[in-house]
Every structure is written in structure tokens, then in C-alpha cells.
Amino acid sequence: MKNPLYYWNFMTSLISWVSVDQRGPSSLYIASDSRIGWVGRSILGAWDVGRKTFAATNQPDIFGYCGDVQFPTMVLSQIVALIDSYLIFDNTVESDERFEKVSSIIKTSYDKYPDRFKNNFTIIYGNRLGEDDVKATFNVYEISWNNAHWAEKKLIVPSDKSSIIGVYGSGVDVIEKFKNIFGKSDFGIDTSRGIFSAFCSAVESGEDGNSGGKPQTVGLYKIGNSRIFGFESNRSLWVYGLPIDQLFDVEKIEWRNERFERVDARKMAVQADAQRHPLR
């Protein structure tokens, strides 16, 4: 396989986790950094506002990717549009069948992709079966193109405590380092706030030079469709890694900070009724 003179680089810190309460899994998330870059005979540059997570608006389906940027970005944009138009399935279709259809589209599209531009990548896909406080279930799948071979698997979603489901990309070792640091502290790593805080600390540390920019997060609750989460940091707002100066209606989406606290985006402060998560 011939590589072009330059290509999108394998820059990413990607993580998926489940939040568990006293009744079992209550929400599912995928988060990523926002850095992408180009390499050839040398590093040609990086861009810290690239989109790496995707969420359907009309159905409970979320995605993230790591590895090659160009193909996953294009095909996931197409797939989300098809899902939102109810052209490949609706909410009544079982989770495994949803993944089969998504996988088929990815493979069919990639078969037509020029060989000289093909590079390794992994796509994470999360969905929810049912819509109920008790019976709704979350499912996570992985499809990878690695050294000219496809690999697929269904991942285990823990049900006993909030847990990381998978970590991917060039930032794996750094995320694992901060996961251990938070796990040994009073803050812990068995809550969404602990997992997300460790992830943010790993990206912010700069120890993985291939990861950077602000975190971007998509998720699912047990009721409703997919959600995108805005990110507030130092009184600035970010959506899908993109800095936002003004929004017509910030209440259209949920906002979180690096401690995963709910934020009032108009006041640039933690919501008055939000649970505080102090770092210790």
C-alpha cells in the first residue's frame, strides 16, 4: 500500500464509559480530544478544532473515531444523516442489527476508497435499546481497519459501577497514567466525574503530543435521543472542539466543565442546583 506524500495523522485520545447508579447503567458517553494533523516526511502541522465525535439528533446513536481522520469523518457524517432521516433503521430495530447496518455501510464505502489513501482507524459506536428508566440497555461496538483487515466486536458494558469501556488512540498510555492517579485519590475513578476529569487532565497535560484541543463529548441517557455536550473552560465555550463566542440559545444543549459538573453557559458558572465535584 502506497501512502500519499502527506496524510491525516493518527492523533487522538478517545474514551467511552458508562455511568451507573443504584438501578444500573444510567448513561453512556464517548469523548475525544480535538487535535488532528498532517504528516509526510516530517510533521506538517496540527489543528486543534477537528470534529471526532458524532451524535444522531433523532435516534439514540453515538460515534467516535481514532486513527485516520479523512474517511471516518466523511462516512460518519453520512451515516448520522441517514440515521436522522430514518433511512436505514428506526428505534424499533435491535441493537445488534443496527450495528450490522452501520458496519455494512462503512465497509461498502471503504471498498470504493482509493487504496493509496487507506490508513488504520477505529470507529466506536454506541446505541440504546428501549427507552425506560429500568429496562433500557446500552450497547457499544467497535469496528477497525488495521493492516488491511477488518475487525469487529461488541464490547462489555459494566453494570455494577461507573467504568471505562474502552480507551483508544495515541493517548492511551497517558490516559491510563491519569486514571491510576485519580483512582488512588479521594476523587476516585468509579464515577463519571472521575473518569472525565482524568481524561481532561491527560489531554491537558500535553504528555501525548498527538492529542490536544478541548474535549468533545456525546452521550445517551435512558430516555430521549443522543446528546451533544458543550464544554466550558475558563469562561469560554466549546462545541465539538470548536470555540463558540456567541450562541443563539445555549440552553439547547447541556454544558459540562472539566469536572463534569453541569454548567450554566450564560453565566459561565456551575449551575446552582448542580452537584459539586471538588478535586482533592
Side-chain angles (χ1 to χ4, degrees):
M1 178 182 69
K2 295 181 179 180
N3 285 327
L5 178 62
Y6 63 89
Y7 56 92
W8 300 86
N9 195 16
F10 297 77
M11 296 183 174
T12 291
S13 290
L14 177 68
I15 188 170
S16 177
W17 78 94
V18 62
S19 180
V20 176
D21 60 22
Q22 65 274 15
R23 293 176 295 181
S26 59
S27 52
L28 175 70
Y29 304 95
I30 295 174
S32 172
D33 74 305
S34 299
R35 176 170 294 176
I36 62 176
W38 299 260
V39 298
R41 296 187 179 94
S42 61
I43 297 176
L44 301 178
W47 184 48
D48 280 349
V49 291
R51 184 175 179 180
K52 296 183 180 180
T53 59
F54 297 79
T57 301
N58 297 327
Q59 299 198 61
D61 302 271
I62 56 176
F63 301 86
Y65 72 84
C66 69
D68 180 50
V69 172
Q70 190 164 329
F71 175 77
T73 299
M74 293 187 293
V75 76
L76 290 179
S77 296
Q78 293 169 321
I79 288 172
V80 167
L82 292 173
I83 291 173
D84 279 334
S85 300
Y86 299 95
L87 293 175
I88 53 177
F89 49 64
D90 61 23
N91 289 333
T92 66
V93 175
E94 296 286 334
S95 295
D96 289 352
E97 184 178 350
R98 296 170 86 87
F99 175 65
E100 289 173 5
K101 290 179 180 291
V102 167
S103 172
S104 177
I105 292 172
I106 292 171
K107 291 178 179 179
T108 298
S109 179
Y110 209 54
D111 283 344
K112 303 179 183 300
Y113 201 67
D115 287 342
R116 69 189 298 260
F117 292 104
K118 290 183 176 180
N119 285 295
N120 297 341
F121 65 85
T122 296
I123 290 173
I124 304 302
Y125 167 49
N127 66 36
R128 187 193 68 235
L129 178 62
E131 187 174 19
D132 184 275
D133 278 342
V134 177
K135 297 180 180 179
T137 59
F138 300 104
N139 302 274
V140 182
Y141 305 83
E142 174 186 313
I143 178 169
S144 299
W145 172 264
N146 187 30
N147 296 323
H149 292 90
W150 289 108
E152 300 177 1
K153 63 180 177 180
K154 186 175 184 178
L155 305 180
I156 296 173
V157 179
S159 60
D160 57 337
K161 64 179 180 179
S162 299
S163 305
I164 294 173
I165 297 171
V167 181
Y168 307 87
S170 57
V172 167
D173 290 343
V174 181
I175 294 173
E176 186 66 25
K177 171 186 173 180
F178 280 89
K179 172 188 169 185
N180 292 334
I181 291 173
F182 275 72
K184 294 175 181 177
S185 72
D186 292 337
F187 201 63
I189 199 69
D190 57 354
T191 62
S192 281
R193 64 183 182 273
I195 293 169
F196 189 70
S197 296
F199 175 78
C200 289
S201 295
V203 174
E204 185 68 23
S205 74
E207 292 185 28
D208 174 41
N210 291 329
S211 300
K214 299 300 182 181
Q216 50 186 277
T217 308
V218 293
L220 298 171
Y221 293 151
K222 299 185 81 171
I223 295 176
N225 298 320
S226 308
R227 299 168 184 260
I228 63 172
F229 294 86
F231 183 73
E232 185 273 331
S233 177
N234 296 322
R235 300 186 63 81
S236 296
L237 302 179
W238 308 74
V239 179
Y240 282 132
L242 184 69
I244 302 295
D245 291 329
Q246 293 182 342
L247 289 177
F248 176 72
D249 189 355
V250 292
E251 284 81 15
K252 291 293 185 181
I253 63 172
E254 290 187 46
W255 296 86
R256 303 293 178 104
N257 60 18
E258 70 278 0
R259 302 177 190 180
F260 217 55
E261 295 168 320
R262 291 186 293 115
V263 171
D264 183 327
R266 292 202 183 279
K267 297 180 179 179
M268 298 288 188
V270 176
Q271 289 186 1
D273 61 344
Q275 182 179 359
R276 300 301 180 104
H277 303 149
L279 291 173
R280 289 185 290 173

PDB file of all heavy atoms in Angstrom, residues 59 78-80 82-90 93 97-98 101-102 105:
ATOM      1  N   GLN A  59     -32.376   9.836  16.936  1.00  0.00           N
ATOM      2  CA  GLN A  59     -32.333   8.471  17.445  1.00  0.00           C
ATOM      3  C   GLN A  59     -31.170   8.336  18.437  1.00  0.00           C
ATOM      4  O   GLN A  59     -30.273   9.184  18.481  1.00  0.00           O
ATOM      5  CB  GLN A  59     -32.185   7.460  16.295  1.00  0.00           C
ATOM      6  CG  GLN A  59     -33.339   7.490  15.313  1.00  0.00           C
ATOM      7  CD  GLN A  59     -33.405   6.248  14.465  1.00  0.00           C
ATOM      8  OE1 GLN A  59     -33.569   5.132  14.966  1.00  0.00           O
ATOM      9  NE2 GLN A  59     -33.277   6.425  13.153  1.00  0.00           N
ATOM     10  N   GLN A  78     -22.153  10.964   6.937  1.00  0.00           N
ATOM     11  CA  GLN A  78     -23.183  10.378   6.076  1.00  0.00           C
ATOM     12  C   GLN A  78     -24.095   9.448   6.861  1.00  0.00           C
ATOM     13  O   GLN A  78     -25.327   9.481   6.711  1.00  0.00           O
ATOM     14  CB  GLN A  78     -22.510   9.619   4.924  1.00  0.00           C
ATOM     15  CG  GLN A  78     -21.765  10.522   3.953  1.00  0.00           C
ATOM     16  CD  GLN A  78     -20.894   9.728   2.996  1.00  0.00           C
ATOM     17  OE1 GLN A  78     -20.261   8.744   3.376  1.00  0.00           O
ATOM     18  NE2 GLN A  78     -20.866  10.157   1.741  1.00  0.00           N
ATOM     19  N   ILE A  79     -23.509   8.604   7.704  1.00  0.00           N
ATOM     20  CA  ILE A  79     -24.304   7.642   8.465  1.00  0.00           C
ATOM     21  C   ILE A  79     -25.261   8.340   9.419  1.00  0.00           C
ATOM     22  O   ILE A  79     -26.435   7.966   9.530  1.00  0.00           O
ATOM     23  CB  ILE A  79     -23.372   6.672   9.225  1.00  0.00           C
ATOM     24  CG1 ILE A  79     -22.701   5.717   8.232  1.00  0.00           C
ATOM     25  CG2 ILE A  79     -24.150   5.881  10.283  1.00  0.00           C
ATOM     26  CD1 ILE A  79     -21.627   4.839   8.850  1.00  0.00           C
ATOM     27  N   VAL A  80     -24.785   9.368  10.113  1.00  0.00           N
ATOM     28  CA  VAL A  80     -25.654  10.102  11.037  1.00  0.00           C
ATOM     29  C   VAL A  80     -26.809  10.752  10.280  1.00  0.00           C
ATOM     30  O   VAL A  80     -27.955  10.759  10.756  1.00  0.00           O
ATOM     31  CB  VAL A  80     -24.844  11.149  11.827  1.00  0.00           C
ATOM     32  CG1 VAL A  80     -25.769  12.118  12.553  1.00  0.00           C
ATOM     33  CG2 VAL A  80     -23.942  10.447  12.838  1.00  0.00           C
ATOM     34  N   LEU A  82     -28.185   9.616   7.559  1.00  0.00           N
ATOM     35  CA  LEU A  82     -29.104   8.531   7.203  1.00  0.00           C
ATOM     36  C   LEU A  82     -29.930   8.096   8.407  1.00  0.00           C
ATOM     37  O   LEU A  82     -31.126   7.823   8.297  1.00  0.00           O
ATOM     38  CB  LEU A  82     -28.310   7.343   6.651  1.00  0.00           C
ATOM     39  CG  LEU A  82     -27.621   7.546   5.297  1.00  0.00           C
ATOM     40  CD1 LEU A  82     -26.743   6.338   4.973  1.00  0.00           C
ATOM     41  CD2 LEU A  82     -28.637   7.772   4.199  1.00  0.00           C
ATOM     42  N   ILE A  83     -29.283   8.007   9.571  1.00  0.00           N
ATOM     43  CA  ILE A  83     -29.999   7.628  10.796  1.00  0.00           C
ATOM     44  C   ILE A  83     -31.068   8.664  11.119  1.00  0.00           C
ATOM     45  O   ILE A  83     -32.216   8.330  11.430  1.00  0.00           O
ATOM     46  CB  ILE A  83     -29.013   7.475  11.972  1.00  0.00           C
ATOM     47  CG1 ILE A  83     -28.107   6.253  11.755  1.00  0.00           C
ATOM     48  CG2 ILE A  83     -29.771   7.341  13.294  1.00  0.00           C
ATOM     49  CD1 ILE A  83     -26.995   6.129  12.784  1.00  0.00           C
ATOM     50  N   ASP A  84     -30.708   9.944  11.041  1.00  0.00           N
ATOM     51  CA  ASP A  84     -31.652  11.004  11.384  1.00  0.00           C
ATOM     52  C   ASP A  84     -32.822  11.078  10.404  1.00  0.00           C
ATOM     53  O   ASP A  84     -33.889  11.590  10.742  1.00  0.00           O
ATOM     54  CB  ASP A  84     -30.938  12.350  11.441  1.00  0.00           C
ATOM     55  CG  ASP A  84     -30.222  12.559  12.763  1.00  0.00           C
ATOM     56  OD1 ASP A  84     -30.653  11.958  13.764  1.00  0.00           O
ATOM     57  OD2 ASP A  84     -29.252  13.332  12.807  1.00  0.00           O
ATOM     58  N   SER A  85     -32.626  10.565   9.194  1.00  0.00           N
ATOM     59  CA  SER A  85     -33.701  10.545   8.194  1.00  0.00           C
ATOM     60  C   SER A  85     -34.469   9.221   8.217  1.00  0.00           C
ATOM     61  O   SER A  85     -35.343   9.015   7.377  1.00  0.00           O
ATOM     62  CB  SER A  85     -33.104  10.766   6.797  1.00  0.00           C
ATOM     63  OG  SER A  85     -32.447  12.008   6.705  1.00  0.00           O
ATOM     64  N   TYR A  86     -34.139   8.329   9.150  1.00  0.00           N
ATOM     65  CA  TYR A  86     -34.800   7.025   9.296  1.00  0.00           C
ATOM     66  C   TYR A  86     -34.697   6.192   8.017  1.00  0.00           C
ATOM     67  O   TYR A  86     -35.602   5.423   7.683  1.00  0.00           O
ATOM     68  CB  TYR A  86     -36.274   7.203   9.686  1.00  0.00           C
ATOM     69  CG  TYR A  86     -36.475   7.910  10.999  1.00  0.00           C
ATOM     70  CD1 TYR A  86     -36.699   9.275  11.040  1.00  0.00           C
ATOM     71  CD2 TYR A  86     -36.422   7.205  12.200  1.00  0.00           C
ATOM     72  CE1 TYR A  86     -36.867   9.935  12.255  1.00  0.00           C
ATOM     73  CE2 TYR A  86     -36.589   7.857  13.423  1.00  0.00           C
ATOM     74  CZ  TYR A  86     -36.813   9.222  13.440  1.00  0.00           C
ATOM     75  OH  TYR A  86     -36.969   9.875  14.640  1.00  0.00           O
ATOM     76  N   LEU A  87     -33.576   6.298   7.311  1.00  0.00           N
ATOM     77  CA  LEU A  87     -33.417   5.598   6.045  1.00  0.00           C
ATOM     78  C   LEU A  87     -32.768   4.228   6.182  1.00  0.00           C
ATOM     79  O   LEU A  87     -32.827   3.423   5.253  1.00  0.00           O
ATOM     80  CB  LEU A  87     -32.594   6.462   5.073  1.00  0.00           C
ATOM     81  CG  LEU A  87     -33.286   7.741   4.608  1.00  0.00           C
ATOM     82  CD1 LEU A  87     -32.349   8.576   3.744  1.00  0.00           C
ATOM     83  CD2 LEU A  87     -34.557   7.408   3.835  1.00  0.00           C
ATOM     84  N   ILE A  88     -32.139   3.942   7.326  1.00  0.00           N
ATOM     85  CA  ILE A  88     -31.525   2.616   7.490  1.00  0.00           C
ATOM     86  C   ILE A  88     -32.111   1.835   8.649  1.00  0.00           C
ATOM     87  O   ILE A  88     -32.056   0.610   8.659  1.00  0.00           O
ATOM     88  CB  ILE A  88     -29.987   2.706   7.628  1.00  0.00           C
ATOM     89  CG1 ILE A  88     -29.579   3.689   8.735  1.00  0.00           C
ATOM     90  CG2 ILE A  88     -29.361   3.105   6.310  1.00  0.00           C
ATOM     91  CD1 ILE A  88     -28.080   3.749   8.959  1.00  0.00           C
ATOM     92  N   PHE A  89     -32.654   2.520   9.642  1.00  0.00           N
ATOM     93  CA  PHE A  89     -33.391   1.847  10.711  1.00  0.00           C
ATOM     94  C   PHE A  89     -34.134   2.890  11.540  1.00  0.00           C
ATOM     95  O   PHE A  89     -33.924   4.093  11.379  1.00  0.00           O
ATOM     96  CB  PHE A  89     -32.489   0.989  11.603  1.00  0.00           C
ATOM     97  CG  PHE A  89     -31.236   1.661  12.111  1.00  0.00           C
ATOM     98  CD1 PHE A  89     -31.296   2.754  12.968  1.00  0.00           C
ATOM     99  CD2 PHE A  89     -29.982   1.193  11.744  1.00  0.00           C
ATOM    100  CE1 PHE A  89     -30.149   3.370  13.444  1.00  0.00           C
ATOM    101  CE2 PHE A  89     -28.826   1.802  12.214  1.00  0.00           C
ATOM    102  CZ  PHE A  89     -28.907   2.889  13.066  1.00  0.00           C
ATOM    103  N   ASP A  90     -35.027   2.405  12.415  1.00  0.00           N
ATOM    104  CA  ASP A  90     -35.699   3.294  13.345  1.00  0.00           C
ATOM    105  C   ASP A  90     -35.499   2.759  14.761  1.00  0.00           C
ATOM    106  O   ASP A  90     -34.740   1.803  14.984  1.00  0.00           O
ATOM    107  CB  ASP A  90     -37.182   3.465  13.005  1.00  0.00           C
ATOM    108  CG  ASP A  90     -37.958   2.156  13.053  1.00  0.00           C
ATOM    109  OD1 ASP A  90     -37.510   1.209  13.749  1.00  0.00           O
ATOM    110  OD2 ASP A  90     -39.012   2.062  12.398  1.00  0.00           O
ATOM    111  N   VAL A  93     -35.555  -1.165  15.816  1.00  0.00           N
ATOM    112  CA  VAL A  93     -34.569  -2.148  15.360  1.00  0.00           C
ATOM    113  C   VAL A  93     -33.616  -2.501  16.495  1.00  0.00           C
ATOM    114  O   VAL A  93     -33.130  -1.628  17.215  1.00  0.00           O
ATOM    115  CB  VAL A  93     -33.789  -1.600  14.140  1.00  0.00           C
ATOM    116  CG1 VAL A  93     -32.680  -2.557  13.728  1.00  0.00           C
ATOM    117  CG2 VAL A  93     -34.743  -1.366  12.968  1.00  0.00           C
ATOM    118  N   GLU A  97     -28.547  -5.510  15.174  1.00  0.00           N
ATOM    119  CA  GLU A  97     -28.904  -5.269  13.769  1.00  0.00           C
ATOM    120  C   GLU A  97     -28.531  -3.853  13.361  1.00  0.00           C
ATOM    121  O   GLU A  97     -28.112  -3.612  12.218  1.00  0.00           O
ATOM    122  CB  GLU A  97     -30.396  -5.508  13.547  1.00  0.00           C
ATOM    123  CG  GLU A  97     -30.812  -5.378  12.083  1.00  0.00           C
ATOM    124  CD  GLU A  97     -32.291  -5.662  11.853  1.00  0.00           C
ATOM    125  OE1 GLU A  97     -32.956  -6.146  12.797  1.00  0.00           O
ATOM    126  OE2 GLU A  97     -32.758  -5.395  10.734  1.00  0.00           O
ATOM    127  N   ARG A  98     -28.656  -2.914  14.273  1.00  0.00           N
ATOM    128  CA  ARG A  98     -28.247  -1.540  13.978  1.00  0.00           C
ATOM    129  C   ARG A  98     -26.748  -1.504  13.645  1.00  0.00           C
ATOM    130  O   ARG A  98     -26.319  -0.852  12.686  1.00  0.00           O
ATOM    131  CB  ARG A  98     -28.544  -0.627  15.173  1.00  0.00           C
ATOM    132  CG  ARG A  98     -30.016  -0.492  15.490  1.00  0.00           C
ATOM    133  CD  ARG A  98     -30.244   0.211  16.820  1.00  0.00           C
ATOM    134  NE  ARG A  98     -30.272   1.659  16.695  1.00  0.00           N
ATOM    135  CZ  ARG A  98     -31.366   2.356  16.398  1.00  0.00           C
ATOM    136  NH1 ARG A  98     -32.505   1.733  16.200  1.00  0.00           N
ATOM    137  NH2 ARG A  98     -31.318   3.676  16.316  1.00  0.00           N
ATOM    138  N   LYS A 101     -25.934  -2.935  10.184  1.00  0.00           N
ATOM    139  CA  LYS A 101     -26.214  -1.996   9.097  1.00  0.00           C
ATOM    140  C   LYS A 101     -25.143  -0.904   9.031  1.00  0.00           C
ATOM    141  O   LYS A 101     -24.680  -0.533   7.946  1.00  0.00           O
ATOM    142  CB  LYS A 101     -27.603  -1.388   9.282  1.00  0.00           C
ATOM    143  CG  LYS A 101     -28.742  -2.381   9.059  1.00  0.00           C
ATOM    144  CD  LYS A 101     -30.087  -1.730   9.276  1.00  0.00           C
ATOM    145  CE  LYS A 101     -31.222  -2.727   9.051  1.00  0.00           C
ATOM    146  NZ  LYS A 101     -31.347  -3.106   7.636  1.00  0.00           N
ATOM    147  N   VAL A 102     -24.759  -0.386  10.188  1.00  0.00           N
ATOM    148  CA  VAL A 102     -23.701   0.622  10.228  1.00  0.00           C
ATOM    149  C   VAL A 102     -22.397   0.049   9.677  1.00  0.00           C
ATOM    150  O   VAL A 102     -21.713   0.669   8.847  1.00  0.00           O
ATOM    151  CB  VAL A 102     -23.501   1.137  11.667  1.00  0.00           C
ATOM    152  CG1 VAL A 102     -22.201   1.929  11.786  1.00  0.00           C
ATOM    153  CG2 VAL A 102     -24.678   1.999  12.094  1.00  0.00           C
ATOM    154  N   ILE A 105     -22.416  -0.311   5.855  1.00  0.00           N
ATOM    155  CA  ILE A 105     -22.224   0.952   5.143  1.00  0.00           C
ATOM    156  C   ILE A 105     -20.754   1.365   5.166  1.00  0.00           C
ATOM    157  O   ILE A 105     -20.192   1.802   4.156  1.00  0.00           O
ATOM    158  CB  ILE A 105     -23.107   2.046   5.763  1.00  0.00           C
ATOM    159  CG1 ILE A 105     -24.579   1.743   5.506  1.00  0.00           C
ATOM    160  CG2 ILE A 105     -22.743   3.422   5.196  1.00  0.00           C
ATOM    161  CD1 ILE A 105     -25.526   2.655   6.245  1.00  0.00           C
TER     162      ILE A 105
END
